[in-house]
Amino acid sequence: MPKLNDVNTNDIAAAIRLGCRTMHNVFDADDGGVPFFRSLIEPETLLAFSAVHSEAHVPGRHLNALLSAEDAIGAAVDEVAIGNHRRAAFLSYSGPVALPLNREVKDGSPLNFCPHNLREGFHALYALARFRDDREARELAEKSIAAVGELWDADDGWDLPALEQLGLIYQDSRGFIQGEARMLGPLVKYYRVTGYAPALDLALVLKEKAVNEFYLPDGSFDQQRFNTSHSHSITCVLSSLAQLADLLGDGALMLQVMAFCEDGLWAMRDELGWSCESTTQEDSDHGETNNSGDILETVLILGRWGFGEYYHDAERMLRGHLLPSQLRDNSFIANPPNPDNIDGLRDVADRHLGAYGFPAPYGHKSVGTGRANLSFNMDIVGGTVASLCEAYREVVRSEESGHWVNMLFDHETEAVSVQSPYTGDGLQVEAKKAGPLWVRIPPWVAREAVRVAGATATWSDDYLFVAQPPVGSAIRIDFPLTEQELVLSERLHIEPIRTRLCGDEVVAMDNFGAEWTFFDPYA
């Protein structure tokens, strides 16, 4: 089966913009503009409402991603779309208590409460507070923090009689990690933006339970201890702990995060950053890209903390999995018959363009019998694009210690311009403002093979260091893009997946006859 159209794996911004396009086109005209959650391409083709995750979940993912994209790359966001997501988010908070609720049916009232959605509710309010200075969102976030404090206890859980008295229908999230722990990340973000102390107070309560009962110092993953097979919940709480450690400058907590990255995380990720939807799935190579996105955000923070090998992990994840797995060729999607003009059946192929979903390492759909359908749930594009925004911010970073080129993508800031070795004639870095320059060189490059022209450079761990780069003149750094062979582990995949890379870019991969693949077949 031929691969789909080639993807420029040097252009993170292009993937972000295309993902924004998807999030501009997910609103159900038959439901007052509330975004769809469900997506199917096979065995049927549709977009649809969810009684658990439509207004309580999708707006938070999309507001966080769209407004972050506007901030990170200057993406042109559709204010009508922002308004639709805001209205849907506020609809979810319009019930008898300030918690993110969902309707059972489209014409019903928001009464379904699933703690799993607390993360997404706070992400919506955080994004509006940060990027739109939205007073109503701030008031609602602070009421919601108070409501959680009144109705939930870290030891005893939810006050179910009180929820019932409020008329709410409690939908069990299957444990702390798949439920309440997920809100830790947006609470940290909210505190960074607003300084609202109760947000940090609740975040610390969540952190204590997470590290004392689940993410233990030995870094292990135990299915029974975590009490969930939902990989995304495990990875998003991990990234949340990294965010909190970063906020607090807590080295002990960051080392605990790193211990899980070195051990337990390998129960749900492979060498390219692909991550299984469920830690208990069988006979399927399908993954979930917002899991990979949370892993990406975690390793970016570790890289910024001085562990340079994690920037290499991040770059390989981007080139080898996240950028190739975006839906950029929708030619295989056939729009369904729609005699009744139902919006969820209208222009489905076009509305999916730019989406992320449940890919195998080799293509959009896994071989095997473990997952028979093909889907791109609409929340996943938001989670993945938000993570890509974090990656874009970390490609080049300028601070007191100088200009840091952490990943070798084509990139330009006010201070530095980078021409990638993957697209040009060698790596070229131009400092546009004075300051020391640090350029990370991948670990597969032999130091003796590196040639530097235009400046004097010395090695400092994983980086070439130029104390006084010439301002306005490019430094050329030459090294071969080494061909490498990699086998993705049979422990997570149906069988070992042979992969050929040029540098960190995948050029061929086993696909076992799958359809809609990303790379040339391994030969």
Side-chain angles (χ1 to χ4, degrees), residues 408-428:
L408 306 183
F409 295 92
D410 290 327
H411 201 77
E412 188 153 356
T413 70
E414 292 181 354
V416 178
S417 176
V418 180
Q419 177 186 289
S420 171
Y422 293 87
T423 58
D425 183 18
L427 172 62
Q428 296 189 53

Side-chain angles (χ1 to χ4, degrees), residues 111 166 267 284 490 518:
L111 293 174
L166 289 165
S284 181
E490 186 178 9
F518 308 138

Side-chain angles (χ1 to χ4, degrees), residues 66-144:
L66 286 166
L67 296 178
S68 187
E70 181 184 54
D71 175 73
I73 69 165
V77 297
D78 182 349
E79 290 300 329
V80 172
I82 300 300
N84 283 343
H85 282 306
R86 183 184 186 275
R87 278 192 296 277
F90 277 55
L91 170 64
S92 80
Y93 279 98
S94 66
V97 64
L99 296 172
L101 310 175
N102 216 89
R103 297 160 297 160
E104 182 66 25
V105 292
K106 287 184 179 181
D107 59 356
S109 299
L111 293 174
N112 290 345
F113 173 54
C114 183
H116 184 86
N117 295 324
L118 286 161
R119 173 181 186 261
E120 280 64 33
F122 280 123
H123 258 141
L125 302 177
Y126 147 76
L128 289 167
R130 176 181 175 185
F131 298 111
R132 289 295 185 269
D133 193 23
D134 190 321
R135 273 186 192 281
E136 288 182 79
R138 285 190 61 161
E139 290 171 4
L140 202 46
E142 291 163 16
K143 287 179 183 176
S144 189

Side-chain angles (χ1 to χ4, degrees), residues 462-476:
D462 301 323
Y463 287 79
L464 275 177
F465 174 64
V466 181
Q468 292 181 301
V471 175
S473 179
I475 299 168
R476 184 183 174 101

Side-chain angles (χ1 to χ4, degrees), residues 272 312 315-316 319 408 421-422 426 441-450 477-486 499-508:
L272 292 178
H312 175 243
E315 181 162 353
R316 181 166 283 187
R319 293 187 185 280
L408 306 183
Y422 293 87
I441 304 300
W444 40 261
V445 177
R447 287 193 175 189
E448 60 270 18
V450 178
I477 304 170
D478 286 319
F479 52 82
L481 294 176
T482 307
E483 187 171 288
Q484 303 165 76
E485 302 293 326
L486 184 65
T499 305
R500 182 173 297 115
L501 300 97
C502 179
D504 286 312
E505 195 164 76
V506 174
V507 294

Side-chain angles (χ1 to χ4, degrees), residues 224-270:
Q224 187 173 5
R225 184 175 78 241
F226 272 76
N227 193 31
T228 180
S229 62
H230 188 240
S231 300
H232 179 240
S233 292
I234 299 165
T235 60
C236 80
V237 177
L238 181 69
S239 70
S240 299
L241 291 169
Q243 291 169 47
L244 180 62
D246 189 46
L247 171 72
L248 300 177
D250 187 337
L253 178 57
M254 194 65 81
L255 288 175
Q256 207 154 330
V257 168
M258 188 162 69
F260 193 83
C261 287
E262 294 294 320
D263 188 351
L265 193 57
W266 291 98
M268 60 206 76
R269 66 157 293 186
D270 72 10

Side-chain angles (χ1 to χ4, degrees), residues 15-230:
I16 293 171
R17 289 190 182 93
L18 191 58
C20 289
R21 179 191 187 276
T22 313
M23 292 181 279
H24 289 158
N25 288 284
V26 297
F27 305 106
D28 186 355
D30 300 329
D31 189 25
V34 172
F36 294 108
F37 171 81
R38 290 186 60 226
S39 147
L40 274 178
I41 302 302
E42 287 188 344
E44 55 183 323
T45 305
L46 55 80
L47 292 164
F49 169 80
S50 164
V52 183
H53 295 313
S54 282
E55 57 266 29
H57 196 91
V58 178
R61 292 280 189 93
H62 287 198
L63 285 167
N64 184 46
L66 286 166
L67 296 178
S68 187
E70 181 184 54
D71 175 73
I73 69 165
V77 297
D78 182 349
E79 290 300 329
V80 172
I82 300 300
N84 283 343
H85 282 306
R86 183 184 186 275
R87 278 192 296 277
F90 277 55
L91 170 64
S92 80
Y93 279 98
S94 66
V97 64
L99 296 172
L101 310 175
N102 216 89
R103 297 160 297 160
E104 182 66 25
V105 292
K106 287 184 179 181
D107 59 356
S109 299
L111 293 174
N112 290 345
F113 173 54
C114 183
H116 184 86
N117 295 324
L118 286 161
R119 173 181 186 261
E120 280 64 33
F122 280 123
H123 258 141
L125 302 177
Y126 147 76
L128 289 167
R130 176 181 175 185
F131 298 111
R132 289 295 185 269
D133 193 23
D134 190 321
R135 273 186 192 281
E136 288 182 79
R138 285 190 61 161
E139 290 171 4
L140 202 46
E142 291 163 16
K143 287 179 183 176
S144 189
I145 291 166
V148 172
E150 291 168 8
L151 295 167
W152 177 79
D153 179 82
D155 295 320
D156 299 328
W158 290 95
D159 185 341
L160 297 182
L163 293 178
E164 187 175 354
Q165 267 195 332
L166 289 165
L168 302 187
I169 301 166
Y170 179 75
Q171 298 172 317
D172 192 356
S173 289
R174 304 177 191 171
F176 176 69
I177 295 299
Q178 196 166 332
E180 300 79 22
R182 292 165 47 93
M183 65 178 150
L184 172 57
L187 286 170
V188 172
K189 294 175 183 175
Y190 188 81
Y191 176 76
R192 274 193 186 274
V193 170
T194 65
Y196 185 64
L200 181 59
D201 187 32
L202 179 54
L204 291 172
V205 170
L206 298 167
K207 168 254 183 181
E208 287 299 313
K209 187 173 179 67
V211 299
N212 289 329
E213 299 180 28
F214 302 96
Y215 300 86
L216 303 182
D218 66 2
S220 64
F221 170 71
D222 179 83
Q223 189 75 60
Q224 187 173 5
R225 184 175 78 241
F226 272 76
N227 193 31
T228 180
S229 62
H230 188 240

Side-chain angles (χ1 to χ4, degrees), residues 278-438:
S278 168
T279 56
T280 58
Q281 69 190 41
E282 296 180 352
D283 197 36
S284 181
D285 287 327
H286 81 275
E288 185 172 340
T289 59
N290 54 194
N291 308 1
S292 300
D294 279 303
I295 297 168
L296 175 67
E297 291 190 44
T298 304
V299 300
L300 289 169
I301 293 171
L302 287 167
R304 191 168 67 246
W305 269 56
F307 302 102
E309 66 272 21
Y310 283 98
Y311 276 132
H312 175 243
D313 191 18
E315 181 162 353
R316 181 166 283 187
M317 290 172 64
L318 287 160
R319 293 187 185 280
H321 185 59
L322 278 173
L323 295 176
S325 65
Q326 186 176 36
L327 181 61
R328 296 197 174 198
D329 181 343
N330 61 354
S331 59
F332 64 92
I333 302 175
N335 287 317
N338 192 13
D340 298 322
N341 200 27
I342 295 168
D343 194 45
L345 304 179
R346 188 183 299 126
D347 300 325
V348 178
D350 183 65
R351 291 162 91 173
H352 272 79
L353 191 65
Y356 282 97
F358 301 94
Y362 41 78
H364 288 302
K365 188 175 182 182
S366 171
V367 297
T369 60
R371 196 177 204 271
N373 65 14
L374 176 61
S375 172
F376 297 84
N377 280 2
M378 288 295 109
D379 64 325
I380 294 177
V381 65
T384 309
V385 168
S387 298
L388 292 177
C389 291
E390 296 306 315
Y392 186 89
R393 292 183 176 104
E394 286 293 323
V395 172
V396 174
R397 193 179 72 252
S398 294
E399 55 186 36
E400 186 179 6
S401 58
H403 310 303
W404 294 77
V405 178
N406 299 310
M407 294 180 283
L408 306 183
F409 295 92
D410 290 327
H411 201 77
E412 188 153 356
T413 70
E414 292 181 354
V416 178
S417 176
V418 180
Q419 177 186 289
S420 171
Y422 293 87
T423 58
D425 183 18
L427 172 62
Q428 296 189 53
V429 182
E430 177 188 333
K432 298 190 287 184
K433 292 184 177 180
L437 177 66
W438 310 75

